[in-house]
Amino acid sequence: MATYTEITTLPEWENVLQKSKEKPVLLFKHSTTCPVSAAAYREFTSFESDVDAYLVKVIESRPVSNEIESNLGVQHQSPQIFILSNEEPIWHASHWNITETKIGQALQSI
């Protein structure tokens, strides 16, 4: 299983945005009650990479999820995954488009 850091607070989210100025980061927004999100979560956690990865549980950490939507200007969906660079989403996908293969392809293209 790939390692990731869970984000539960707004300062943690701000820290992730700052880190994206130094190098790209992977961010996964996960609904713990949705079967589609569970499938995407398995894809996300199966993906092995040196890229720093972060997880936000959208129900448990609603203020963080809302702030991500506001900061990135991308309408909330869950599940949803982003590659962030310089505080901007340079790639994102949702629902069944979140696969280990597509994550890898997106990271290779940056």
Side-chain angles (χ1 to χ4, degrees):
M1 176 183 279
T3 58
Y4 61 83
T5 303
E6 185 174 349
I7 304 168
T8 60
T9 67
L10 293 175
E12 289 170 344
W13 164 238
E14 288 297 326
N15 187 40
V16 170
L17 271 180
Q18 290 302 311
K19 284 183 178 184
S20 78
K21 289 180 177 180
E22 299 161 18
K23 61 182 181 175
V25 300
L26 195 59
L27 174 69
F28 180 67
K29 292 175 72 176
H30 176 47
S31 170
T32 53
T33 63
C34 172
V36 175
S37 196
Y41 175 80
R42 285 190 296 277
E43 295 287 327
F44 169 68
T45 58
S46 295
F47 182 74
E48 296 288 340
S49 174
D50 292 336
V51 174
D52 291 343
Y54 300 91
L55 170 91
V56 174
K57 294 178 181 171
V58 298
I59 296 169
E60 295 84 347
S61 301
R62 179 71 62 202
V64 177
S65 178
N66 291 343
E67 188 70 7
I68 290 168
E69 178 181 24
S70 175
N71 290 158
L72 300 183
V74 177
Q75 183 178 3
H76 167 77
Q77 297 182 53
S78 65
Q80 190 170 36
I81 194 164
F82 298 89
I83 297 173
L84 305 176
S85 181
N86 293 316
E87 300 185 348
E88 298 286 333
I90 58 172
W91 175 82
H92 63 91
S94 66
H95 297 84
W96 297 111
N97 288 317
I98 300 172
T99 65
E100 194 175 345
T101 300
K102 288 182 181 181
I103 296 167
Q105 289 170 342
L107 284 170
Q108 286 178 347
S109 70
I110 59 171

